[in-house]
Amino acid sequence: RVAHSPGSMVAQAPVPETVLKKRKTQERLAQAKAAEAAEAKKTKITKARTIFKRAEAYVKEYRTQEKQLIRLRREAKRCGNFFVEPEAKLIFAIRIRGINAMHPKIKKILQLLRLRQLHNGVFLKANKATINMLRKVEPYVAYGYPSLKTTRELLYKRGFGKVGPGKDRIPLSDNAVIEEALGKDGIICMEDLIHEIYTVGPAFKQANNFLWPFKLSSPTGGFNKIVSHFIEGGDAGNREELINGLIRRMN
């Protein structure tokens, strides 16, 4: 008789074919997953660089516009002329009154402006149609021309987007949310969205429609008198650049 040690018997045992197939499949899946992860990382780095470059270009654009306005104002003053400020392209409207004793026509206009609730705020394109609608509902809204700083603060702090077929209200905490909805219009990040809204760009309608109406808080220190116009010491109506102060108190 020939004696066999237990170790030699284990070493000579053939590996089942199913186990070999499973190992090969697992190896193939692991390689595919690693390749996919490497590609995703590469894409992410490229996208981050693109976003950074765009943000830099926007900052440069804003500074150039600001410097040009300062130069024109100084030139006009030096020559003894009046400088006419450029017309505002963007309006921010806030609803300041409820529905008591409201005419149905006024209610309909507020619905069209997406100001369905108290302290709701929306961005609007400054054109003849919008201004006529705002004049109709002036006792119920406060509006004016927001600055770049105000626009940025609103979108970063209270920006929510309509996502998916159900128009879910999702916070804009990730650029992927913006890219999914507005990527076809060339808007892939928050700075793109801010630029499109503030400059009232070609995709303003799509960008603004993507945003949910802003749900603002009651203003710190309260309103003065919501039933009176702003020029009478109240709160309603057009307050031009002074809307920025009210928004900061409500944001």
Side-chain angles (χ1 to χ4, degrees):
R1 287 187 176 183
V2 181
H4 292 286
S5 65
S8 63
M9 289 177 71
V10 171
Q12 290 168 5
V15 180
E17 196 178 339
T18 52
V19 174
L20 288 170
K21 282 183 177 178
K22 193 174 181 181
R23 278 182 194 168
K24 283 181 181 176
T25 306
Q26 284 175 343
E27 282 172 11
R28 193 173 68 252
L29 289 171
Q31 285 172 359
K33 195 175 180 182
E36 197 179 321
E39 188 63 33
K41 190 179 179 182
K42 193 178 175 184
T43 307
K44 192 178 179 183
I45 291 166
T46 308
K47 201 173 284 181
R49 283 175 183 161
T50 306
I51 288 167
F52 184 75
K53 282 178 184 174
R54 285 192 184 192
E56 269 190 332
Y58 294 147
V59 169
K60 194 176 179 182
E61 184 185 328
Y62 300 141
R63 282 180 182 164
T64 305
Q65 286 175 355
E66 199 176 331
K67 282 177 183 175
Q68 191 177 1
L69 278 173
I70 291 166
R71 183 181 60 78
L72 290 169
R73 285 192 197 105
R74 284 175 179 168
E75 199 176 307
K77 190 177 179 182
R78 190 171 62 249
C79 298
N81 296 326
F82 290 104
F83 176 69
V84 180
E85 294 288 339
E87 285 187 16
K89 294 187 284 184
L90 184 68
I91 292 171
F92 190 77
I94 305 166
R95 182 164 172 178
I96 59 170
R97 284 176 69 182
I99 59 167
N100 286 355
M102 185 187 287
H103 192 277
K105 199 171 185 179
I106 302 294
K107 191 175 180 181
K108 183 66 181 173
I109 292 170
L110 287 170
Q111 282 178 4
L112 290 171
L113 293 171
R114 301 195 300 160
L115 296 171
R116 293 171 177 268
Q117 294 177 328
L118 191 66
H119 300 159
N120 268 14
V122 290
F123 287 111
L124 300 165
K125 198 177 195 174
N127 53 30
K128 192 178 178 183
T130 304
I131 289 163
N132 285 341
M133 286 168 82
L134 285 169
R135 281 179 185 155
K136 294 268 187 187
V137 296
E138 211 159 56
Y140 296 87
V141 296
Y143 64 96
Y145 315 129
S147 65
L148 174 62
K149 186 186 176 186
T150 303
T151 307
R152 182 177 272 116
E153 284 174 356
L154 275 169
L155 284 163
Y156 270 109
K157 187 175 179 182
R158 294 188 185 266
F160 284 80
K162 297 175 189 170
V163 178
K167 306 287 184 189
D168 298 325
R169 187 172 181 263
I170 305 294
L172 302 179
S173 54
D174 191 355
N175 286 331
V177 175
I178 298 167
E179 188 177 4
E180 187 187 342
L182 299 169
K184 60 184 182 294
D185 298 305
I187 299 168
I188 60 167
C189 63
M190 182 62 95
E191 286 302 321
D192 282 347
L193 185 60
I194 292 165
H195 181 263
E196 196 66 30
I197 293 290
Y198 181 67
T199 59
V200 189
F204 175 81
K205 186 180 177 182
Q206 290 85 340
N208 198 32
N209 194 44
F210 164 70
L211 293 170
W212 270 79
F214 296 88
K215 293 175 183 282
L216 302 173
S217 307
S218 297
T220 308
F223 286 112
N224 294 328
K225 195 176 181 184
I226 58 171
V227 293
S228 298
H229 198 282
F230 182 69
I231 56 174
E232 296 169 345
D235 292 294
N238 189 3
R239 52 177 73 199
E240 297 183 359
E241 281 77 20
L242 296 174
I243 193 71
N244 295 300
L246 178 63
I247 295 168
R248 287 201 183 96
R249 283 164 51 211
M250 297 181 80
N251 195 0

